[in-house]
Amino acid sequence: MDISLRKGYLSKEKCDLLVVNAFEESGVGGATESVDLALDGKLVKFWKEDAFKGKQGSTNLLRVGSGIPAKRVVVVGLGKKEDFNLEVVRQAAATSLKVAKSLEAKHVVSVMHGVGNGGLSARDVARVMVEGVRLADYTFAKYKKDKTVSPKLFEIVTKNGRHVRNGEKGLDEGEAEAAGVVFARDLVNTPGMDLHPETLVEAARKVAKGKGSIRVRVYDREKLEKMGAGCLLGVAKGSVHEPKMVHMVYTPKVKTKKKVCLVGKAVTFDSGGLSLKPSQYMETMKCDMAGSAAVLGVFAAIDQMAPKVEVHGIFGAAENMPSGEAIRPGDVLTAMNKMTIEVLNTDAEGRLTLADTLTYATKQKPDAIIDLATLTGACVVALGEEITALMSNNSELSQKILASAEEAGEKMWEMPLEKNYKKLIKSEIADIKNTGSRWGGAITAGLFLQNFVNDIPWVHLDIAGPAFAERVVDPYTGKGGTGHGVRTLLHYLRSF
Ligand code: BES
Ligand code: MN
Ligand code: ZN
């Protein structure tokens, strides 16, 4: 599917589906009004007879006989004017794509939602429309016989030449962001039998291929032993697949002193290990590498986006399996920073792999570390399936990430790294243990990680809820891997 932006008049466009919009109560305006005029007011008249009221997410589809060259018109509701924002546009574009697909429309022409009377900038609108359309179009069809058909051409049309010029940049930004999200979704959706640490290494190489700006370094078991990565190695012990540590570096063309590390949890399948999960809880555990998928998604888009900051993408990949060689509850592991950890539950493996990965990240002496991890079920209990928990040792950095999430349309909420809870991860026989009490599990996991970042400004994102959708979230986020985190990180990097 080609998505483009050009000058034109909606009432004169020949296409299979014409997309226009309406606000709740205030009705049509701008470009949609011109289409209504060309249709002798039929557009408004017909929906007044229907139940359509312009509510956000609702649609009204009309077959057109004469008046305009388009075969069909769909009116997408934008909701109340006072609630209107870029997220509404993203969802409106996504909804229109869904309608186009259900009609098997080949050529779609859409109004540029909200640039005229909605008061949004052409660049932002172009960006979020591309995101909405691309992400709504996404399916994971690798293992399916029946594939869905997408339109050949989705054109955003405006009569204002200035909006076309300003929108071009947004179009590219949207394409880059969507490509990054799609790359992450594909990885998360791939079953554990087809995705191993080695597969994530290949993904990193694929992302870097042909791009002079990205280098990849890989550490195998032998090197990890020399580096003292006892925790990552410990988690991998039960699996026949060897662990890998991957380090990608993006160097911008412009000179910069700023350096950021993006760290992702990369457990390619989490069975729980000897502390085996109940089978129902295991069903979605191919998603346990979603943190690393988000980092890889960022790197898939980074060259095109060209942020003015040096970016390191780091993940320690392993599979968590039970076997005669697996680590046992009660075992003690030594991390790369020499701390000892009593493993009381082998299912709290994410924090173990991250202990070594974060230690490695601090050695790069970055200005900031941001980690993404499907870390705790407790986080999903606290915030539900659609909100990421943010924890941080630095309020300036956490405010920046929260602002980036807001811009990107991803939901995040801060939780405290409560010092008083540190007692919950004290061990009788080692420096710390890998489980807390029954309560506050997302926070004790965050406090555990804090031991491995020294005093470098750091944000921890527990994405256990939003990384994998067990039900449809919105018109552009269906079931399965969501690529959550990619857009927030790209917005953050763009702010340099
Ligand atoms: N990967 C899981 C966390 C998870 C749960 C991710 C649900 C996505 C959805 C993690 O490794 C885990 O098993 N955590 C345990 C920790 C506990 C044993 C301290 C948990 O949350 O139950
Ligand atoms: Mn686990
Ligand atoms: Zn896990």
Side-chain angles (χ1 to χ4, degrees), residues 38-53:
L39 289 171
D40 288 332
K42 276 199 205 91
L43 201 62
V44 171
K45 188 175 148 251
F46 279 165
W47 96 52
K48 282 198 169 141
E49 289 164 11
D50 296 339
F52 183 78
K53 295 282 180 303

Side-chain angles (χ1 to χ4, degrees), residues 265 270-272 277 285 288 320 346-350 375:
K265 174 173 170 180
D270 183 11
S271 71
K277 284 184 186 293
M285 279 303 131
D288 218 16
N320 188 22
T346 64
D347 196 14
E349 85 298 337
L375 202 62

Side-chain angles (χ1 to χ4, degrees), residues 285-315:
M285 279 303 131
K286 67 175 182 184
C287 82
D288 218 16
M289 33 55 73
S292 68
V295 174
L296 283 161
V298 168
F299 272 74
I302 206 165
D303 187 68
Q304 191 181 342
M305 235 196 57
K308 298 179 185 72
V309 54
E310 185 176 309
V311 187
H312 295 242
I314 304 168
F315 55 86

